Amino acid sequence: MSGHSKWATTKHKKAGIDAKRGKLFAKLIKNIEVAARTGGGDLSGNPTLYDAVQKAKKSSVPNDNIDRAVKRGSGAEAGGVDYQGITYEGYGPGGVAVLIECLTDNKNRSAMEVRTAMTRNGGNMADPGSVSYLFSRKGVVVVPKSDGVDEDTVLMAVLDAGAEEVRDLGDTLEVISEPGDMVAVRTALQDAGIDYDSADMGFLPSVQVELDADGAGKVFRLIDALEDLDDVQNVYANYDVSDEVMETIDA
């Protein structure tokens, strides 16, 4: 394994998720509402909603909360909010490119909070299009390794479903595909009896910036500050950190 992507389950990320479970639940619920509003409340006819619900369940969001979010988003229950998606671009410490995806009911608030988090943590905002060209939109299915589930097993299951590659990230595997093939990849895994943690659309970098321990620490602090914002759903950055450097940071 060389480096760590946004999706990698590092100890750094696990600690952050454990400390921010409440915020994580709120972000997952917001995702469900938006998916239900966009494509309706029927999971079988709305793959985006299906994946959002599955991800929430994997993260231990209570079923009652999930059901209410689906109803609010689809209009079956009052109280839904019309969230809008917006993506901000910028640069972090060391020239690392950063994409910040938000779902918000107040774009002015989101812009101010993102800008503040960036400037306080060694980053700066960039014009639209100046960073996004460094990333490609992809489908990413994360599969936990277990007995009988390794890179070869997963590769055989998804080979004919449109998967482009399977990446070994240590504890987990990433199955990368074009966005339009992600549902087929996820379905192929289910048909093969292989459990998966999440299926998401995301941005993968085409080039990466290698960081030392100091640079990695600064970039991780920036990402943590951004992910701590209520309106921020996802943060993508084109950093590359070696296993040796990660060990010194986790120690």
Side-chain angles (χ1 to χ4, degrees):
M1 173 174 64
S2 62
H4 296 261
S5 79
K6 144 67 172 86
W7 307 89
T9 310
T10 63
K11 281 182 277 186
H12 162 78
K13 287 294 176 191
K14 285 180 181 176
I17 287 172
D18 288 342
K20 302 169 186 174
R21 186 164 293 275
K23 284 187 178 290
L24 176 66
F25 280 15
K27 292 175 193 285
L28 293 169
I29 288 296
K30 192 185 288 188
N31 256 343
I32 291 170
E33 282 197 42
V34 170
R37 180 181 293 274
T38 304
D42 179 14
L43 268 67
S44 62
N46 186 345
T48 304
L49 177 61
Y50 178 93
D51 290 326
V53 167
Q54 289 300 108
K55 187 173 183 180
K57 287 181 175 180
K58 285 284 187 181
S59 300
S60 303
V61 177
N63 286 333
D64 285 351
N65 296 34
I66 292 172
D67 293 340
R68 285 198 298 271
V70 172
K71 289 176 180 176
R72 285 196 303 270
S74 63
E77 185 177 293
V81 178
D82 187 14
Y83 295 111
Q84 294 178 293
I86 185 167
T87 301
Y88 298 103
E89 303 181 30
Y91 288 99
V96 169
V98 184
L99 283 182
I100 306 121
E101 283 188 326
C102 296
L103 284 176
T104 183
D105 57 354
N106 186 327
K107 288 187 176 181
N108 290 335
R109 179 191 65 221
S110 297
M112 182 185 70
E113 290 181 345
V114 168
R115 185 178 297 276
T116 299
M118 289 286 281
T119 55
R120 285 181 177 173
N121 291 277
N124 57 279
M125 303 297 287
D127 293 331
S130 59
V131 166
S132 57
Y133 77 95
L134 295 168
F135 296 81
S136 299
R137 188 75 163 165
K138 295 289 183 181
V140 182
V141 183
V142 178
V143 179
K145 281 187 182 177
S146 62
D147 289 340
V149 177
D150 57 19
E151 189 172 355
D152 290 339
T153 309
V154 170
L155 187 59
M156 289 300 295
V158 300
L159 202 55
D160 296 327
E164 294 181 349
E165 64 174 313
V166 177
R167 297 179 176 180
D168 189 336
L169 297 179
D171 293 336
T172 60
L173 299 163
E174 282 182 346
V175 186
I176 311 298
S177 69
E178 286 298 316
D181 293 325
M182 190 187 73
V183 173
V185 168
R186 180 249 289 159
T187 303
L189 289 168
Q190 291 171 314
D191 290 345
I194 298 173
D195 192 27
Y196 66 95
D197 280 343
S198 62
D200 287 297
M201 300 297 182
F203 289 98
L204 298 185
S206 54
V207 295
Q208 292 182 302
V209 177
E210 190 168 344
L211 298 176
D212 59 16
D214 180 61
K218 290 176 180 176
V219 169
F220 288 164
R221 281 191 290 276
L222 170 62
I223 292 173
D224 280 344
L226 289 167
E227 289 183 338
D228 205 35
L229 301 176
D230 290 340
D231 291 341
V232 171
Q233 290 293 108
N234 296 298
V235 179
Y236 307 98
N238 70 336
Y239 65 86
D240 183 62
V241 181
S242 69
D243 293 339
E244 292 76 19
V245 170
M246 279 303 301
E247 287 171 7
T248 65
I249 294 172
D250 290 336

